[in-house]
Amino acid sequence: MLRRRHSVLPGFGLTLGFSVFYLSLVVLLPLLALVLKSASFGWAAFRVAAVAPRAIAAYRLSFGAAAAGAAVNAVFGLLVAWVLVRYRFPGRRLIDALVDLPFALPTAVAGIALTTLYAETGWLGRPLSAMGLKVAFTPIGVGLALTFIGLPFVVRTLQPVIEALDPEVEEAAASLGAGRPATLARVVLPAIAPAWLTGVALAFARALGEYGSVVFIAGNMPMKTEIAPLVIMTKLEQYDYAGATAVAVVMLLASLLILGGVNALQAWTVRRAAVE
Amino acid sequence: MSARPFVPLVAALALLAAGGSTLIAQETTLLNVSYDPTREFYQEVNAAFAAQWKAKTGRALTIQQSHGGSGKQARAVIDGLEADVVTLALAYDVDAVEKAGLVRSGWQKRLPDNACPYTSTIVFLVRKGNPKGIKDWGDLARPGVAVITPNPKTSGAARWSYLAAWAWALRRPGGSEATAQDFVARLYRNVPVLDTGARGSTNTFVQRGIGDVLLAWENEAFLAVKELGPDKVEMVVPSLSILAEPPVAVVDAVVDRRGTRAAAQAYLEFLYTSEGQRLAAKHYYRPRSKEALAQAPVRFAAVQLVRIDEAFGGWAKAHAAHFAEGASFDRIYQAR
């Protein structure tokens, strides 16, 4: 990444130094403290807590629901971003502003609102449960909350890229005989794929750590609807610092692996697009 | 990366500003870190005690209060929340503060009645007319009954409820550890949501209308009936319950550093005075004093109450046997 090139802008050394210092202070130091803390408890205690059945079930739910939420947002976030950029219609600015709402709304408020709507006594929950679909207090509810909070990440990452995408390129493709699916697959998607992946990865990462909105709608049943951050919280509240840090470290490592994988995938799509 | 990085940034700064609001100490302040359903009670106690303190010493006193699940509150104190006094749901949580070196050992001997100025118990709250006919613990394990109770891992009320259910099953004819484990397993199979604290469960049951029966603090049950009216919910007292003793303690390390020991000690002693006891009864806690009990606004049911020390050998043992990692509560969910 680091490329020393002659630049007309001075101050590279200073800004790099500051960036590294800032990142260390804000990001690396807390993570280091976490790893050191878990190391101080010993390997045996760490292993017992990290692979306990309850912890495993919680990882599965957290990663599964976060992936499901990110997948839903990948499709519908792309759609929303596309519509907001390419079409002019009344209320567009309002909808554009609404997309930021999950950023700004306190997550607890979002959780309570979703639970009230989707509980068996709620507006949407009542007809849905009549159809045999329970949302609140099931893994579906967890996925729903994670979809809600992840949406802006996909939309906001895609918008500038779609804006930069010149419609004339698509017209050119059409005039050269490409059908709509071919234009989409060969022209549009390759251009937005890196940003798309970034947005989805951001939404996924955000969902992994989400606590506030999920605890209200999840039901928090051990082995069934208990997310990993809640396992960490309950362990802390029982003064089980070793167990809490063990689960946290597992989450951290898994997230690092997944995000690293997504970055690699993204780099590959950028390279491929450059070759084409 | 994001098109509007300033949105989360601004949100983060706002949070910092809100969380970092400074306390300017011109008068004596005390912080009482308490558990979930004591808000209204301590609001009144604080006003009454501050007035009395002012009359006696001539100095103004402000008492701040913080509420949440008992375990979470204790952990906040251990992690550095400067509580002058803790008034928690169970002795186990004060013991944890003691283990962190903040409260001197023997704290339960420093105030009368095991440092528990008031007691309470666990009762059932059911929908109007008791449509599911819930009378006793056994009914909670019936198929088709939805029970609302918080997570015993995080809530003091839930631990008392869990132990009460266990004690009831143990005292059945032919009762044993195995039948008790089986009973609580069937009971918790009927629990659709585990909130993290008592107030959360009350909201789930009352506001959201989920469940047929709420396992509640007796004072919360009285409060719910009063607030909502008997045409919405009714209280059912089981044949046997547990004597819940929420303890209070001065946090020695904090009061010695802040120089607030005299005020903190007087504050806790105030809870034992006739005024303190009257307020406890007013908020539906069972007062220790006979007069306050006689003048209480409600009749406390004469229910057989088991004590944690006799039935479970104290909190340390009860915790290890039921709520520790892999103990009886975890077994309920891992057996599924």
Side-chain angles (χ1 to χ4, degrees):
Chain A
M1 285 270 187
L2 190 117
R3 248 176 268 135
R4 191 88 203 240
R5 243 188 280 156
H6 181 73
S7 166
V8 286
L9 292 174
F12 173 75
L14 187 69
T15 47
L16 177 71
F18 183 77
S19 303
V20 169
F21 170 74
Y22 183 79
L23 275 180
S24 309
L25 192 72
V26 175
V27 179
L28 286 181
L29 206 60
L31 293 184
L32 188 69
L34 177 66
V35 172
L36 285 181
K37 182 99 183 166
S38 73
S40 70
F41 294 118
W43 173 244
F46 178 89
R47 233 196 48 174
V48 167
V51 300
R54 239 180 97 192
I56 300 273
Y59 303 140
R60 197 175 294 145
L61 176 66
S62 267
F63 285 100
V72 171
N73 279 327
V75 176
F76 292 97
L78 173 62
L79 203 66
V80 170
W82 184 266
V83 167
L84 284 176
V85 172
R86 280 296 172 87
Y87 299 100
R88 293 290 172 269
F89 53 93
R92 188 183 68 95
R93 279 170 176 278
L94 183 73
I95 294 179
D96 194 36
L98 277 180
V99 170
D100 275 334
L101 208 60
F103 270 151
L105 200 67
T107 50
V109 177
I112 291 171
L114 287 174
T115 312
T116 311
L117 268 180
Y118 285 95
E120 270 171 67
T121 51
W123 289 349
L124 288 173
R126 201 193 303 267
L128 283 177
S129 70
M131 288 186 281
L133 182 69
K134 281 191 179 181
V135 177
F137 317 126
T138 68
I140 301 174
V142 178
L144 184 76
L146 298 183
T147 308
F148 175 83
I149 52 137
L151 176 72
F153 291 91
V154 179
V155 177
R156 290 296 179 235
T157 326
L158 275 175
Q159 266 178 323
V161 182
I162 298 177
E163 260 162 33
L165 201 66
D166 197 335
E168 284 174 12
V169 179
E170 292 151 49
E171 283 160 19
S175 72
L176 291 173
R180 285 190 168 187
T183 310
L184 193 69
R186 311 276 309 261
V187 177
V188 176
L189 286 184
I192 61 171
W196 198 18
L197 273 174
T198 305
V200 173
L202 279 175
F204 175 74
R206 174 73 180 78
L208 269 187
E210 176 61 13
Y211 176 78
S213 61
V214 181
V215 289
F216 291 97
I217 199 165
N220 308 331
M221 307 298 292
M223 310 296 292
K224 283 164 85 188
T225 55
E226 198 177 38
I227 53 167
L230 180 72
V231 171
I232 297 174
M233 284 299 291
T234 53
K235 281 182 185 295
L236 282 179
E237 287 174 19
Q238 293 191 287
Y239 320 115
D240 180 8
Y241 289 70
T245 33
V247 175
V249 165
V250 171
M251 288 290 288
L252 183 68
L253 290 179
S255 316
L256 277 179
L257 276 178
I258 291 174
L259 291 180
V262 170
N263 269 348
L265 189 65
Q266 196 195 344
W268 178 74
T269 52
V270 170
R271 265 202 316 274
R272 207 186 60 155
V275 169
E276 281 190 2
Chain B
M1 275 200 241
S2 161
R4 301 205 176 163
F6 58 87
V7 174
L9 188 68
V10 167
L13 286 176
L15 272 179
L16 272 180
S21 63
T22 47
L23 297 170
I24 301 160
Q26 286 166 338
E27 48 183 15
T28 312
T29 58
L30 290 181
L31 174 60
N32 175 3
V33 171
S34 192
Y35 62 107
D36 224 1
T38 54
R39 285 176 181 79
E40 295 80 8
F41 169 53
Y42 277 112
Q43 263 160 27
E44 257 194 85
V45 165
N46 293 349
F49 176 71
Q52 200 199 61
W53 182 258
K54 175 110 194 203
K56 210 188 276 174
T57 66
R59 261 173 304 180
L61 176 70
T62 309
I63 303 154
Q64 286 160 336
Q65 50 192 93
S66 159
H67 298 271
S70 190
K72 181 175 94 187
Q73 294 292 81
R75 193 176 52 79
V77 173
I78 292 167
D79 288 346
L81 179 64
E82 287 215 306
D84 299 274
V85 299
V86 285
T87 56
L88 296 174
L90 36 100
Y92 183 77
D93 289 326
V94 185
D95 285 339
V97 182
E98 180 201 316
K99 268 197 214 113
L102 298 172
V103 172
R104 264 186 250 127
S105 62
W107 59 270
Q108 262 191 313
K109 299 277 166 283
R110 283 197 273 164
L111 285 162
D113 298 316
N114 276 332
C116 303
Y118 44 82
T119 66
S120 192
T121 187
I122 298 295
V123 298
F124 306 160
L125 203 62
V126 296
R127 309 266 170 217
K128 186 205 170 203
N130 198 355
K132 296 271 168 111
I134 290 154
K135 299 252 160 32
D136 206 352
W137 291 101
D139 298 320
L140 304 185
R142 279 199 326 240
V145 173
V147 182
I148 304 297
T149 179
N151 189 340
K153 297 255 182 184
T154 49
S155 155
R159 284 188 214 183
W160 289 114
S161 307
Y162 184 95
L163 294 178
W166 189 281
W168 176 85
L170 215 51
R171 277 163 181 70
R172 300 259 80 198
S176 67
E177 294 282 314
T179 63
Q181 174 82 57
D182 175 60
F183 172 70
V184 294
R186 282 187 292 127
L187 194 164
Y188 275 82
R189 220 157 279 162
N190 283 346
V191 178
V193 198
L194 284 173
D195 288 290
T196 51
R199 271 289 152 92
S201 281
T202 308
N203 283 336
T204 298
F205 182 75
V206 170
Q207 315 284 350
R208 216 148 281 146
I210 295 169
D212 303 306
V213 52
L214 170 74
L215 306 188
W217 286 110
E218 185 182 42
N219 57 298
E220 283 272 278
F222 273 120
L223 188 69
V225 173
K226 187 187 124 191
E227 297 274 305
L228 300 163
D231 57 330
K232 285 262 166 57
V233 287
E234 290 173 17
M235 196 165 123
V236 171
V237 180
S239 65
L240 174 146
S241 195
I242 194 157
L243 179 70
E245 295 187 293
V248 301
V250 169
V251 184
D252 296 290
V254 174
V255 294
D256 287 345
R257 185 166 63 238
R258 299 186 64 229
T260 49
R261 178 176 285 282
Q265 183 71 24
Y267 176 64
L268 293 189
E269 280 165 6
F270 176 77
L271 297 171
Y272 291 89
T273 63
S274 57
E275 176 67 1
Q277 292 285 294
R278 187 186 68 78
L279 288 176
K282 183 183 166 191
H283 289 275
Y284 313 119
Y285 293 91
R286 297 183 174 212
R288 294 286 190 179
S289 107
K290 293 264 177 347
E291 299 100 80
L293 192 61
Q295 288 159 13
V298 288
R299 286 281 137 250
F300 296 105
V303 48
Q304 188 197 347
L305 295 176
V306 297
R307 307 177 74 102
I308 178 108
D309 290 344
E310 290 151 16
F312 295 94
W315 265 113
K317 276 192 184 158
H319 180 86
H322 299 291
F323 308 120
E325 191 73 42
S328 79
F329 179 70
D330 279 352
R331 284 202 293 275
I332 293 176
Y333 291 96
Q334 284 166 11
R336 279 191 198 187

